[in-house]
Amino acid sequence: MAVVWRDLRYDFSFSSDMRQAELARRKEVVTSTMTSVAVQTQTEVVTEIIQIQQEQATSERASAAFVILTRNKDLKGLRETLAQLEDRFNRRYNYPYVFLNNEPFSDDFKERIKSVVSGECHFGVIPTEHWSYPDYINQTRAAEARKDMNERKVIYGGRESYHHMCRYESGFFYRHPLMDQFKWYWRVEPDVKFGCDIDYDPFMFMQTNNKKYGFTISIKEVPETIPTLWNTTMNFMKEHKHLIPEKNLMNFVTDSNGGYNRCHFWSNFEIASLDFMRSEQYSAYFDYLDRAGGFFYERWGDAPVHSLGVTMFLNKDEVHWFDDIGYFHSPLWNCPKGDANKKCWCLEEDSIETRNKRWSCTLDFVALPGPNA
């Protein structure tokens, strides 16, 4: 059966509503033929329906990409993660990927990654100045600090590359030239799992509902990694009062006495606005922290840094918990509850806010009043 149609993805004479209506009409027409055609032709019709579903998903997309900081040695775990992400979501939407590395990716890595994803792939090398010591950091002091943290068994404190990674993810990944073309990003890491079908577009959800930052898991930071981060942040706020909005989300990260409760959004999964990350406010905050030296003299992580930036500059209505996305990063799950769990293979009782309420901060976030309360 020959089927001819206009390529509605690129025909801008059609409005979004007109494209969707035409795609729905086409699907109805080809579906109605399936009972009256031969088996071979039915296969062609099924293929046509799949193509229409893909066009429906991609006819209105956000300016967005997945961003993945990874290395050649992560290939196996990353391919497994991407296969799940494609199966659960992106095979219907075909969003592009940006892969970043402080060393060049091998040709084998590139080919094997391309073979498991539907979206366009961009591979970039991190500029040396974004993965090295700035001239205001005392490298001898930094080495001594790593040795001390290693002896005290501060998690990842003795790993030099981990300090560079935390600094890069805190303030540089969104400055890579490959990210310039996008307005939204979804951070992905090797070896994470996606446990549920995602039958809508989270990027478009964020854009349509005026959200700036989305998360799945929130927990409390290990105090030994960030001994001076809170005081440094308080000093920034005192010196930059003009950047701090009257209504924000700082009550998420403060205890009843006004101190730091160490709650943070676990940044290995985040869907967020690049306009926010590039904003004057967040850039000023990161630059202030970078000058303070805590990425090297302590072990400040990108998760508490992102979270303090988010809570300082955004209000609750601009932050979203993706409670319907099943996500695992060892050792923690975010798993949907109730009817939403029917499209998942994760167990809802394994979700961190259910299994360990004392460690999770998510239900505290949910309970917070909105900016207009």
Side-chain angles (χ1 to χ4, degrees), residues 144-288:
E144 292 172 349
R146 290 196 305 277
K147 180 180 178 182
D148 174 67
M149 285 185 277
N150 188 60
E151 292 173 351
R152 290 189 290 115
K153 298 185 177 354
V154 175
I155 185 168
Y156 305 129
R159 298 186 185 179
E160 185 176 23
S161 62
Y162 198 87
H163 291 262
H164 286 295
M165 182 275 291
C166 289
R167 178 176 180 254
Y168 184 76
E169 292 281 34
S170 293
F172 291 107
F173 78 91
Y174 52 88
R175 306 186 199 194
H176 195 284
L178 289 176
M179 299 298 292
D180 289 348
Q181 60 189 301
F182 303 113
K183 291 186 175 295
W184 299 91
Y185 73 93
W186 180 335
R187 179 168 161 182
V188 179
E189 295 193 354
D191 298 304
V192 303
K193 296 178 172 62
F194 294 91
C196 310
D197 285 336
I198 304 170
D199 51 14
Y200 68 100
D201 185 342
F203 290 123
M204 288 302 298
F205 171 86
M206 297 285 287
Q207 181 172 295
T208 302
N209 292 280
N210 297 315
K211 305 293 184 180
K212 303 289 181 61
Y213 188 87
F215 70 99
T216 53
I217 295 171
S218 67
I219 54 176
K220 295 179 180 178
E221 182 61 297
V222 177
E224 292 78 13
T225 65
I226 50 167
T228 67
L229 177 59
W230 179 251
N231 287 339
T232 305
T233 299
M234 291 297 97
N235 290 336
F236 170 83
M237 294 181 71
K238 291 176 183 177
E239 296 173 24
H240 299 79
K241 293 180 179 179
H242 63 290
L243 295 179
I244 314 300
E246 180 181 350
K247 296 181 178 181
N248 58 22
L249 197 53
M250 288 298 288
N251 50 354
F252 175 66
V253 295
T254 52
D255 57 28
S256 58
N257 298 316
Y260 186 32
N261 63 16
R262 296 182 284 112
C263 284
H264 67 277
F265 308 115
W266 219 20
S267 59
N268 47 70
F269 175 107
E270 55 187 10
I271 300 175
S273 164
L274 284 163
D275 286 343
F276 169 69
M277 301 303 293
R278 297 165 179 147
S279 67
E280 175 189 2
Q281 298 97 310
Y282 184 81
S283 296
Y285 177 55
F286 169 76
D287 291 343
Y288 190 93

Side-chain angles (χ1 to χ4, degrees), residues 22-37:
E22 174 62 11
L23 288 167
R25 183 195 65 76
R26 277 170 37 199
K27 183 177 179 181
E28 181 179 354
V29 168
V30 295
T31 303
S32 66
T33 68
M34 291 190 67
T35 58
S36 60
V37 295

Side-chain angles (χ1 to χ4, degrees), residues 9 24 34 43 119 133 207 221 254 315 339:
R9 290 171 296 175
M34 291 190 67
T43 301
Y133 294 97
Q207 181 172 295
E221 182 61 297
T254 52
N315 63 58
D339 287 344

